Amino acid sequence: MRASHWLGRHWRILLAGLVALILLALATLAAFPWGSLDRTIESRLSKALGRPVTIGSIEREDRFSLHPVLDIRDITIPQPDWAEADTPMLRVHRMRFGFDALALLFGTTRIETLDIGGADALLIRTADNRINWSGASGKSEEEGSSTNALHALSLQNVTIAYRDALQNRRFDVTLNGGSQSGLDVKGSGSVHGAPVSVRAHGGAFAAEDGSGRWPFELNIEGQAVGLVMHGTMAKPLATDSIDATASAHGAGLAYVDALIEAGLPDTQPVRMTATLARRGPEWKIEKLNGTVGRSDFSGDATIRKGGGQSRIDGTLHADRFDFADLSTDAQRAKADAKQARQGKLVVPDTAIDLDNLGDVAGVLRLHADRLLAPGSDPFTSLDATLTLEKKTLTVSPLRFGMPHGTLSGKAVIAQKSAGPQLHLQLELNGGQLSDLFPASGVDAPARGRIDLTGTGKTIRAAIGAASGRLALTARNGVLPDKTALLLGQDVGGGLFAGKKKQAVLRCLIAPFTLKNGTASAGNVRIDTSRAVTRAAGTIRFPSESLNLALHGVAKQHSTLRIGGAVPVRGTIKSPKISPPEKGDSVGDVIGQVGKALFGGDEPVATDIDCDHAITAAMNF
């Protein structure tokens, strides 16, 4: 009670004392002799950068202000030991800068004016992402801009040499001018070894109070790659607040990515335009339009960087899309040479290794109205949502349109220590056999299912090591009468069958079990109006080599039936049917003819329960 009574009587004295103390602190800060800290600043910079920084002198130009201006002479920052360069990282002959002294009390640096007269910098980034302008470790660090309060800038004879082994690019530029008269940047460089010229200009920024925005333009131009950007920043060099329009072109997407660093793969030649907006760690990309080879695209995206990670939320739409455009000419030539050695295969050799994506996460929605042949056969359109989190890419929903029906489901790629692990779960609905096997002459409504898991750096390699199940079924279709007779091993009937005559395909049931890339046929049956044919054997991935045997039983008397199993070799794309095991000699054929003419009746097949068989095959 006494304490509260005392405070009630003396609160005005306490408040006045507190105000006086604050004013004294502000006056001390406003009159602080910053020039006397030259050796302290030198020592702290040396400790932070892990190398001996030297400063010739620091003098304060004004005497009393919370926005002091310092004149610093002869600053030298050497290269870190790992840089292996004789030239210092930075040498500044003269620098004047004004700052907000109050901001220092809150642990931030707010540079308000900057005037540099004569400076040379050699900036280095290694292939393992070490940068010489960071701390002692050389690791890249995300820092907020210290120029977001800058309203007066002057640079004279400032040269920057930039060497980037990670993105395979280098630039040599000179900066002259300032916020009052305009800033000019001129120089040259190279991207992936291709020469480019560099020009940039920042307009006048006359508003002393910091209102308005600073206009700028950037032009990096070369035959192999180019980037043009026009826009504004909140203040001179305030790269954390940008509004701009941009256009780019490249001999491949890797050339453009070397400039924008989005972790994109190399492709066929690319052109694109977009509007950009940056606020702090977040970029918004809108009105994105462009082409890659024969493909086109449009869309928008938001990219947010923080915590060493880039998070993307975007949507892309293509009127036309060619999977082959996602590879370079050299990659195409390599794939063609591989195909020449191995033959045409069904399973694509698309890379699924996620290591090259770095620390990227987020969601990307894709839609293609029309997939361009031949690489897309038999698929005609694509819808996919890609979600990347913690080195796991989930493509769900995933939907391929076909001339009839869809193939849909999901694919999950998880980056494991043994390599990328692929888990596929897909279903074919409303399909037609003629879409899958156009040269066979067989057609029927088809259904299918795939559920398998395998490890490999490409889809083909992963399925070559996969285990799981797959099934293809069809019901109520047609096939050439000659094919139906031969499936029943009725060679005589097949030889004299009419070319245009059709038989009924009651059903096809083809279930397989995969183990370590080998698909073993289950109870495979083909039921036609002519015969019932069963198949046994294996399909070996990734070669897609067939080792199957067909055994057909006719549903009626055969003109000339060849006994034994019919071997099927070759590949899925190019099967090779050999003579039956019991019909590979003249004597065997003569014996079969004699049996057909004088022997007893052959056993005949009966219809199978197609509905029950299809349900059993699809039950997994």
Side-chain angles (χ1 to χ4, degrees):
M1 182 65 71
R2 291 180 179 178
S4 60
H5 179 70
W6 185 89
L7 288 173
R9 294 180 55 191
H10 298 89
W11 68 270
R12 292 181 178 83
I13 298 175
L14 290 175
L15 180 60
L18 180 61
V19 171
L21 184 61
I22 293 174
L23 291 175
L24 178 61
L26 290 176
T28 302
L29 184 63
F32 191 84
W34 296 99
S36 65
L37 296 180
D38 52 352
R39 302 284 76 88
T40 301
I41 296 174
E42 195 178 70
S43 175
R44 291 190 176 183
L45 282 174
S46 298
K47 183 177 180 180
L49 294 173
R51 58 199 106 149
V53 177
T54 59
I55 300 176
S57 64
I58 300 179
E59 295 183 3
R60 178 169 181 170
E61 292 189 352
D62 58 333
R63 293 189 177 184
F64 188 85
S65 173
L66 290 175
H67 300 272
V69 178
L70 304 184
D71 187 317
I72 306 177
R73 303 291 177 122
D74 299 325
I75 305 170
T76 300
I77 302 177
Q79 298 286 355
D81 294 337
W82 53 262
E84 298 181 357
D86 297 330
T87 305
M89 185 200 84
L90 178 65
R91 181 182 286 121
V92 180
H93 303 293
R94 171 182 166 274
M95 178 172 68
R96 296 175 64 253
F97 79 95
F99 61 96
D100 184 348
L102 279 175
L104 294 177
L105 300 178
F106 299 96
T108 60
T109 303
R110 290 174 58 85
I111 299 175
E112 298 172 328
T113 62
L114 180 64
D115 180 358
I116 298 178
D120 300 283
L122 174 57
L123 307 180
I124 298 173
R125 186 187 197 186
T126 64
D128 60 353
N129 203 24
R130 300 180 80 182
I131 54 176
N132 67 342
W133 61 91
S134 185
S137 67
K139 296 299 182 182
S140 176
E141 298 176 2
E142 295 177 6
E143 299 177 352
S145 170
S146 62
T147 62
N148 53 8
L150 188 65
H151 58 78
L153 171 70
S154 178
L155 302 175
Q156 299 298 325
N157 297 320
V158 175
T159 65
I160 299 175
Y162 178 66
R163 306 291 181 260
D164 188 343
L166 181 65
Q167 293 294 338
N168 192 13
R169 61 188 181 183
R170 57 187 295 152
F171 302 106
D172 293 278
V173 297
T174 301
L175 294 78
N176 283 288
S179 57
Q180 304 299 316
S181 60
L183 176 65
D184 288 303
V185 181
K186 295 180 180 180
S188 61
S190 65
V191 177
H192 288 304
V196 296
S197 63
V198 180
R199 292 182 292 108
H201 178 75
F205 188 74
E208 295 294 333
D209 60 356
S211 62
R213 293 181 66 83
W214 186 56
F216 76 95
E217 60 183 61
L218 169 66
N219 191 318
I220 300 174
E221 185 54 44
Q223 185 174 354
V225 63
L227 173 67
V228 177
M229 188 180 298
H230 297 271
T232 63
M233 298 182 189
K235 303 278 177 28
L237 301 184
T239 56
D240 61 343
S241 178
I242 296 176
D243 292 311
T245 60
S247 62
H249 72 86
L253 201 51
Y255 285 86
V256 177
D257 189 63
L259 299 177
I260 65 176
E261 297 193 54
L264 303 173
D266 206 357
T267 64
Q268 289 294 294
V270 59
R271 288 189 175 274
M272 64 177 71
T273 62
T275 61
L276 311 173
R278 182 183 183 184
R279 295 297 182 269
E282 184 175 278
W283 283 91
K284 283 189 177 294
I285 303 172
E286 298 179 326
K287 298 180 181 178
L288 176 64
N289 288 279
T291 60
V292 178
R294 296 199 297 165
S295 306
D296 60 49
F297 60 88
S298 62
D300 54 68
T302 298
I303 302 174
R304 186 176 184 85
K305 294 189 175 184
Q309 185 182 67
S310 296
R311 177 165 290 276
I312 301 173
D313 188 330
T315 300
L316 286 178
H317 174 268
D319 292 326
R320 307 177 311 277
F321 181 71
D322 184 353
F323 283 106
D325 287 332
L326 299 181
S327 56
T328 65
D329 289 341
Q331 291 168 337
R332 284 184 176 185
K334 185 178 180 180
D336 290 342
K338 188 174 183 179
Q339 179 175 291
R341 295 192 306 269
Q342 299 179 347
K344 291 185 177 181
L345 301 178
V346 173
V347 180
D349 206 26
T350 307
I352 57 174
D353 197 335
L354 303 180
D355 271 345
N356 63 334
L357 293 180
D359 294 319
V360 178
V363 180
L364 182 63
R365 290 162 287 274
L366 302 175
H367 173 77
D369 290 332
R370 182 161 63 98
L371 299 180
L372 302 180
S376 63
D377 286 343
F379 305 117
T380 59
S381 63
L382 170 67
D383 280 287
T385 298
L386 289 73
T387 303
L388 181 62
E389 294 286 350
K390 298 179 179 178
K391 295 290 186 179
T392 298
L393 175 64
T394 302
V395 187
S396 178
L398 171 62
R399 178 186 179 277
F400 288 97
M402 303 174 68
H404 302 88
T406 61
L407 181 68
S408 59
K410 73 174 182 178
V412 179
I413 302 168
Q415 198 72 16
K416 305 286 187 180
S417 57
Q421 183 187 79
L422 172 67
H423 182 200
L424 273 180
Q425 288 182 304
L426 299 172
E427 287 200 20
L428 171 65
N429 288 294
Q432 292 286 137
L433 284 182
S434 59
D435 295 339
L436 301 174
F437 310 105
S440 67
V442 182
D443 197 16
R447 293 176 58 206
R449 181 170 294 172
I450 297 173
D451 190 342
L452 54 84
T453 302
T455 299
K457 290 190 175 182
T458 66
I459 295 177
R460 184 178 296 170
I463 292 180
S467 296
R469 296 180 65 180
L470 62 88
L472 176 65
T473 66
R475 187 82 163 91
N476 299 328
V478 296
L479 75 165
D481 192 50
K482 181 176 182 177
T483 302
L485 288 165
L486 293 176
L487 283 172
Q489 296 178 224
D490 184 354
V491 178
L495 290 174
F496 299 105
K499 292 184 178 180
K500 296 184 178 180
K501 188 175 181 181
Q502 295 284 85
V504 174
L505 175 65
R506 296 190 65 250
C507 58
L508 177 148
I509 305 100
F512 288 85
T513 299
L514 271 80
K515 186 174 183 181
N516 298 326
T518 298
S520 300
N523 192 8
V524 176
R525 286 158 289 173
I526 305 171
D527 186 353
T528 73
S529 56
R530 290 291 195 176
V532 173
T533 303
R534 299 178 185 273
T538 62
I539 304 175
R540 184 71 181 95
F541 294 92
S543 63
E544 302 180 14
S545 56
L546 305 177
N547 185 18
L548 300 172
L550 305 179
H551 183 78
V553 178
K555 291 186 175 181
Q556 62 278 314
H557 175 71
S558 300
T559 305
L560 174 59
R561 184 179 189 277
I562 300 299
V566 177
V568 181
R569 302 291 187 266
T571 65
I572 296 175
K573 272 283 189 181
S574 302
K576 297 178 181 178
I577 301 177
S578 303
E581 295 171 352
K582 292 184 179 181
D584 55 1
S585 70
V586 175
D588 290 331
V589 174
I590 293 174
Q592 295 296 330
V593 172
K595 187 174 181 180
L597 293 175
F598 307 109
D601 293 335
E602 290 279 350
V604 295
T606 58
D607 293 346
I608 67 174
D609 186 345
C610 289
D611 292 335
H612 180 268
I614 289 174
T615 299
M618 296 287 289
N619 186 25
F620 64 90

